């Protein structure tokens, strides 16, 4: 999974990126301190892997991973060259979802690029810059497609789609609210990688005092939640500064620190939960002496396609999947005992993989 982090300057974007990835992107109290896209790979915390690895005496544990891409802060007019312009937006065209960091805290020591705290205004500023960036992509595509559309019905059909999407964006609407049921058009839309077509997770960045009650008393957070609900986006509350402190602790110290703050989950865990929910993802597990590993697939994925995540031969030569629930396997203490109790299912090509399935694939090529 790949997530792109966007936001205005000084909203806590790079601080959040640092805390999530420990990659050390420069962070300072002035706009545009991030002038190159920063990329960090983060392991998805999953206690199930350690427990399975202990059961199988695995030599190696491989968690699922998320790739974060942090770009320079955008400002109003970026599409026309204000600030650093939007030249970095190309770096997040291939992400699965966008994490939009929104400032929901007051601090006279941290300058706001627009002089005041207004999360809805800030969100819309970024949204318009994403729309302008998408319009540039569409205009180039229209010019290219129009050249051959007169003598090609397929190109003519695509040109019609491009012009309809362009009109939709020019009305200030994101690409994700553009509706079509035509399979060709859906495929074309996917190939354009429009930023406003991507799912959004809002990271409401608050002060430490608002963390324990998840921003329930923060009027800025309330506005973000209201905005997100209207467009079916996810929201999670975070204090980027606290997350940075947490990221410097070992696991035991981290657990104690979270307990002292009255928190059950770190910001990273909340973000991962929001991401999996928004994108409809789940993890199945494989385990053995060599390796215990988590594999991320979309909800609704059938066994052969899940097997293909491991290797294309597994999907091509799929015979069956031997499936046991993770908790059942641990409770039984071994695969053999789970099988004795009838808890291991022999599943065929139509089996839909569930979160926490421990699977052994049988194949032949």
């Amino acid at each position: 999974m790949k997530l792109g982090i966007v936001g205005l300057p000084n909203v806590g974007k790079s601080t959040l990126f640092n805390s999530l990835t420990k990659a050390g992107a420069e962070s300072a109290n002035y706009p545009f301190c991030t002038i190159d896209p920063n990329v960090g790979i983060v392991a998805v915390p999953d206690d199930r892997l350690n427990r399975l690895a202990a059961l199988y005496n695995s030599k190696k544990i491989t968690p699922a991973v998320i790739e974060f891409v942090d770009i320079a802060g955008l400002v109003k007019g970026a599409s026309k060259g204000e600030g650093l312009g939007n030249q970095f937006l190309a770096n997040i065209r291939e992400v699965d979802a966008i994490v939009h960091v929104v400032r929901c805290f007051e601090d006279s020591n941290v300058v706001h690029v627009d002089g005041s705290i207004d999360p809805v205004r800030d969100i819309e500023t970024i949204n318009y810059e994403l729309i302008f960036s998408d319009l540039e992509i569409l205009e180039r595509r229209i010019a290219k497609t129009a050249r051959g559309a007169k003598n090609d019905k397929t190109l003519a059909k695509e040109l019609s789609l491009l012009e309809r999407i362009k009109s939709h964006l020019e009305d200030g609407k994101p690409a994700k609210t553009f509706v079509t049921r035509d399979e060709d058009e859906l495929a074309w839309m996917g190939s354009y990688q429009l930023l406003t077509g991507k799912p959004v997770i809002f990271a409401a960045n608050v002060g430490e005092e608002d963390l324990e009650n998840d921003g329930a008393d923060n009027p800025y957070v309330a506005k973000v939640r209201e905005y997100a609900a209207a467009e079916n986006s996810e929201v999670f509350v975070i204090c980027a500064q606290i997350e940075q402190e947490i990221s410097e602790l070992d696991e035991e110290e981290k657990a104690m620190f979270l307990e002292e703050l009255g928190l059950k989950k770190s910001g990273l865990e909340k973000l991962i939960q929001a991401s999996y929910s928004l994108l409809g993802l789940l993890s199945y597990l494989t385990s053995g002496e060599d390796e215990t590993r988590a594999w991320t697939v979309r909800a609704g994925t059938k066994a052969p396609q899940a097997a293909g995540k491991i290797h294309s031969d597994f999907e091509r030569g799929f015979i069956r999947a031997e499936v046991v629930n993770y908790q059942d396997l641990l409770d039984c203490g071994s695969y053999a005992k789970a099988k004795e109790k009838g808890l291991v299912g022999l599943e065929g090509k139509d089996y839909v993989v569930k979160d926490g399935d421990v699977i052994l694939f049988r194949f032949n090529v």
Side-chain angles (χ1 to χ4, degrees):
M1 179 162 56
K2 193 172 182 179
L3 302 176
I5 303 178
V6 303
L8 292 172
N10 291 355
V11 295
K13 208 165 50 62
S14 291
T15 304
L16 174 60
F17 174 82
N18 287 347
S19 66
L20 295 177
T21 65
K22 301 181 187 176
E26 185 183 1
S27 176
N29 180 26
Y30 54 88
F32 319 126
C33 67
T34 309
I35 56 172
D36 289 308
N38 293 283
V39 179
I41 305 291
V42 179
V44 175
D46 193 338
D47 288 338
R48 298 175 299 187
L49 295 176
N50 293 324
R51 298 179 71 186
L52 271 180
L55 185 67
Y56 280 89
N57 294 314
S58 303
K59 296 171 187 170
K60 181 181 176 185
I61 296 175
T62 306
V65 296
I66 297 178
E67 182 176 326
F68 289 100
V69 183
D70 176 39
I71 63 167
L74 295 171
V75 293
K76 189 174 182 179
S79 57
K80 296 171 185 164
E82 292 295 323
L84 289 172
N86 60 12
Q87 71 251 37
F88 301 112
L89 286 175
N91 294 298
I92 58 169
R93 287 212 172 268
E94 294 181 7
V95 301
D96 299 300
I98 288 173
V99 180
H100 187 159
V101 184
V102 187
R103 179 169 169 177
C104 294
F105 65 89
E106 297 274 5
D107 187 340
S108 58
N109 295 316
V110 180
V111 179
H112 189 292
V113 73
D114 285 330
S116 61
I117 312 299
D118 184 339
V120 171
R121 177 203 61 205
D122 293 353
I123 289 169
E124 290 181 343
T125 294
I126 296 294
N127 284 352
Y128 278 119
E129 294 309 318
L130 299 183
I131 285 174
F132 292 141
S133 181
D134 281 349
L135 282 169
E136 286 180 19
I137 295 291
L138 289 175
E139 284 162 2
R140 288 200 293 271
R141 190 88 179 216
I142 286 170
K144 183 180 177 182
T145 307
R147 288 196 288 272
K150 290 179 182 177
N151 303 311
D152 187 316
K153 287 183 180 178
T154 301
L155 288 178
K157 181 179 177 180
E158 184 179 5
L159 181 61
S160 169
L161 170 68
L162 287 163
E163 288 172 339
R164 281 160 33 227
I165 300 171
K166 180 173 179 279
S167 177
H168 184 83
L169 292 178
E170 287 173 339
D171 287 339
K173 300 170 187 173
K176 63 186 171 187
T177 62
F178 180 87
V179 178
T180 177
R181 291 181 175 83
D182 184 283
E183 289 187 10
D184 289 337
E185 293 189 341
L186 289 169
W188 285 325
M189 278 195 75
S191 72
Y192 305 152
Q193 295 182 326
L194 298 176
L195 294 171
T196 61
K198 296 183 184 297
V200 176
I201 303 159
F202 291 104
N205 189 14
V206 301
E208 182 181 340
E209 67 280 0
D210 286 316
L211 264 185
E212 189 171 356
N213 66 357
D214 206 36
D217 300 325
N218 184 313
Y220 301 132
V221 173
K223 288 181 180 179
V224 175
R225 284 184 168 137
E226 184 181 347
Y227 190 97
E231 59 166 49
N232 296 316
S233 294
E234 291 276 340
V235 179
F236 75 104
V237 173
I238 195 166
C239 175
Q241 200 59 51
I242 291 294
E243 286 302 314
Q244 184 134 19
E245 292 177 29
I246 290 172
S247 71
E248 293 164 4
L249 304 174
D250 62 31
E251 286 304 309
E252 191 175 328
E253 291 172 327
K254 177 177 139 184
M256 289 172 60
F257 189 45
L258 288 172
E259 190 177 339
E260 284 172 16
L261 292 171
L263 303 177
K264 293 180 181 176
K265 294 178 182 175
S266 69
L268 175 61
E269 290 166 319
K270 288 200 280 186
L271 173 54
I272 288 168
Q273 185 178 354
S275 305
Y276 272 59
S277 171
L278 186 67
L279 296 172
L281 302 175
L282 57 84
S283 291
Y284 77 86
L285 313 167
T286 56
S287 195
E289 190 176 322
D290 287 335
E291 180 184 44
T292 291
R293 183 164 182 165
W295 304 86
T296 303
V297 294
R298 291 195 180 276
T301 298
K302 292 185 177 180
Q305 288 69 50
K309 291 286 287 185
I310 300 173
H311 197 284
S312 58
D313 284 352
F314 281 36
E315 181 174 359
R316 189 159 54 91
F318 179 87
I319 299 172
R320 68 175 184 270
E322 298 180 14
V323 184
V324 58
N325 173 268
Y326 153 79
Q327 193 58 54
D328 288 343
L329 179 56
L330 283 185
D331 291 345
C332 290
S334 74
Y335 183 82
K337 287 182 181 175
K339 204 166 186 178
E340 280 175 24
K341 291 186 176 183
L343 296 173
V344 177
L346 302 181
E347 307 293 352
K349 292 182 178 180
D350 291 329
Y351 177 74
V352 176
V353 172
K354 301 181 185 68
D355 188 65
D357 279 350
V358 181
I359 306 180
L360 173 65
F361 292 107
R362 300 290 185 187
F363 73 101
N364 183 35
V365 289

